Amino acid sequence: MTSHLVTGIGELTTHDDRFGGPLLDAALVAEDGRVAWVGPAADAPDADRRTDLAGAAVVPGFVDSHTHLVFGGDRSAEFEARMAGTIYTGGGIMTTVATTRATSEDQLRARLRGLVDEARGQGTTTLEIKSGYGLDVETEVRLLRLAGEVTPETTFLGAHVVPPGIDRAEYLALVTGPMLEACAPHARWADVFCEPASPLAFDGDEAREVLVAARAAGLRLRVHANQLAPGPGVQLALELGAASVDHCTYLSNADVAALADSRTVATLLPGVEFSTRSPYPEARRMLDAGVEVALASDCNPGTCYSTSMPLMIALAVREMRMTVAEAVRAATLGGAHALLRDDVGHLRVGARADLAVLDAPSYRHLAYRPGVPIAKALTL
Ligand code: NIG
Ligand code: FE
């Protein structure tokens, strides 16, 4: 067993309620990759190795519980057109499907690894990664295998959109049949883009079919819902006990009340509203009603090509009126809950020793210094 003592932590956010907030002048000991001790630097035990952070603030490594990092191609022209007034409807997904199918496995892997490194370089230590840019059996399996090389949190999103050239009923039969069967061994989760407002995505009944089949195949559930308009996605996610319902941009009072009454996490993706110039989800309304909220990047080539969790925190604070503490919690513990993980998202004894070290004296700088690369992942 090797132990590692980290000293010189100017401010340490653990999410351990016993401390009643961040610890000042703190230290942390990890043993074999797990937190073994946290407390005031003056009381720190000795260890085999030592690292001095010279007063840096530390928060739990970010848990980015919603990304689409395996894809080929580029949609910067679509982004530019959108900034000039074109509305996002999901149509660009098929552009990425075509380029992804035409990109070699080595190139997909190189892009994926580059993005994972980019995320770590901004403090992310846990990532969920979805398929959904293959939409045929062979490519969906390839994307999930690649995702599985970098994370255990892999999500089958064959039900992203109905690809052209196949009718809806036929595609639903494929996604709930042979494609699911081929993909399930490579995925922990299943997801569906439930958005009746988009002609390409899935309505409530179709999404139910997809999720019920996925659950029967042993996958846990998460749902893309209520991104472009109000709809049945949130209620469906709750009915089926999904761990997380993501986007939640357009919610009715009944949706908010039902979420508050459930164990399902509302995962908000403010980078999407930023990059599609859309109204932000009403985080304040959800939090005040008692909904558990997570923040994630949704990094994808269409609606938000950013891996930066600090940017999501800054947007949540500036645009969605979350406090900085709420936003940091949502980007760490909230993401962990959205992935049903109790070993990440906090730095209590027993957690994985996954840290985000800030080149700053306080966690507040994550929102106070937008666009400045102050966070780096450190896994002990
Ligand atoms: O989460 N909404 C559906 N899927 C992605 C966007 C995918 C794309 O446009 O390529 C999202 O926003
Ligand atoms: Fe998404």
Side-chain angles (χ1 to χ4, degrees), residues 282-351:
E282 295 180 82
R284 207 51 281 145
R285 178 177 164 218
M286 288 178 236
L287 287 163
D288 293 346
V291 175
E292 175 157 21
V293 163
L295 286 171
S297 72
D298 198 13
C299 182
N300 75 80
T303 57
C304 177
Y305 193 15
S306 173
T307 51
S308 174
M309 290 295 279
L311 173 64
M312 306 312 146
I313 290 170
L315 290 173
V317 171
R318 170 63 181 84
E319 303 293 338
M320 298 177 356
R321 298 181 185 277
M322 290 172 71
T323 68
V324 186
E326 284 171 337
V328 170
R329 193 179 176 92
T332 53
L333 202 56
H337 291 165
L339 292 172
L340 302 177
R341 292 278 297 268
D342 59 11
D343 59 336
V344 296
H346 62 92
L347 294 170
R348 300 190 284 266
V349 169

Side-chain angles (χ1 to χ4, degrees), residues 66 68 75 78 82 88 90-94 96 130 133 157 160-161 193 195 224 227-228 247 269 272 276 298 300-304:
H66 183 144
H68 308 243
R75 280 159 58 198
E78 177 190 318
R82 200 160 56 235
Y88 178 80
I93 294 171
M94 278 317 299
T96 300
K130 302 174 201 300
Y133 290 124
L157 180 59
H160 200 180
V161 291
F193 186 13
E195 196 70 59
H224 277 72
Q227 175 188 359
L228 305 175
H247 285 286
L269 311 164
V272 170
T276 58
D298 198 13
N300 75 80
T303 57
C304 177

Side-chain angles (χ1 to χ4, degrees), residues 61-69 112-120 123-130 147-148 150-155 189 222 296-299 306-309 335 339 341 344 354:
F62 300 124
V63 179
D64 191 349
S65 60
H66 183 144
T67 80
H68 308 243
L69 294 188
L112 167 65
R113 299 218 163 183
L115 290 171
V116 171
D117 288 348
E118 186 181 282
R120 277 194 69 83
T124 298
T125 50
T126 301
L127 277 165
E128 178 266 8
I129 303 178
K130 302 174 201 300
V150 295
T151 184
E153 304 299 344
T154 53
T155 300
W189 301 94
R222 40 206 325 105
S297 72
D298 198 13
C299 182
S306 173
T307 51
S308 174
M309 290 295 279
L339 292 172
R341 292 278 297 268
V344 296
D354 290 345

Side-chain angles (χ1 to χ4, degrees), residues 9-283:
I9 305 176
E11 182 202 79
L12 176 62
T13 298
T14 59
H15 302 316
D16 187 334
D17 292 335
R18 288 177 313 153
F19 298 137
L23 286 170
L24 302 181
D25 295 323
L28 177 149
V29 176
E31 277 173 10
D32 288 340
R34 297 275 175 166
V35 176
W37 183 90
V38 253
D43 300 345
D46 209 3
D48 307 325
R49 288 181 59 198
R50 269 175 178 258
T51 301
D52 182 359
L53 294 180
V58 167
V59 300
F62 300 124
V63 179
D64 191 349
S65 60
H66 183 144
T67 80
H68 308 243
L69 294 188
V70 206
F71 61 88
D74 174 271
R75 280 159 58 198
S76 54
E78 177 190 318
F79 173 78
E80 186 175 46
R82 200 160 56 235
M83 291 303 106
T86 309
I87 303 288
Y88 178 80
T89 58
I93 294 171
M94 278 317 299
T95 310
T96 300
V97 170
T99 48
T100 301
R101 287 176 181 168
T103 302
S104 74
E105 185 159 326
D106 284 349
Q107 284 172 302
L108 291 171
R109 181 183 289 111
R111 162 78 70 88
L112 167 65
R113 299 218 163 183
L115 290 171
V116 171
D117 288 348
E118 186 181 282
R120 277 194 69 83
Q122 295 165 98
T124 298
T125 50
T126 301
L127 277 165
E128 178 266 8
I129 303 178
K130 302 174 201 300
S131 67
Y133 290 124
L135 308 189
D136 59 37
V137 176
E138 189 195 326
T139 318
E140 283 294 305
V141 169
R142 178 179 311 135
L143 302 188
L144 285 168
R145 272 198 294 101
L146 287 165
E149 292 177 5
V150 295
T151 184
E153 304 299 344
T154 53
T155 300
F156 170 50
L157 180 59
H160 200 180
V161 291
V162 178
I166 176 165
D167 76 46
R168 299 187 75 84
E170 212 181 311
Y171 190 66
L172 264 176
L174 180 66
V175 168
T176 57
M179 191 187 284
L180 172 63
E181 203 179 312
C183 287
H186 305 284
R188 177 164 191 242
W189 301 94
D191 195 343
V192 55
F193 186 13
C194 178
E195 196 70 59
S198 163
L200 297 164
F202 299 83
D203 68 22
D205 291 338
E206 292 166 337
R208 179 183 284 102
E209 243 185 86
V210 169
L211 294 168
V212 166
R215 190 169 61 180
L219 300 182
R220 289 155 220 244
L221 307 181
R222 40 206 325 105
V223 182
H224 277 72
N226 301 54
Q227 175 188 359
L228 305 175
V234 168
Q235 302 285 348
L236 177 66
L238 299 180
E239 173 196 321
L240 297 178
S244 178
V245 59
D246 300 36
H247 285 286
C248 294
T249 313
Y250 293 92
L251 298 188
S252 67
N253 289 337
D255 292 335
V256 175
L259 271 168
D261 210 28
S262 78
R263 297 170 59 89
T264 300
V265 176
T267 299
L268 310 184
L269 311 164
V272 170
E273 282 73 36
F274 179 78
S275 297
T276 58
R277 193 176 283 132
S278 305
Y280 286 89
E282 295 180 82

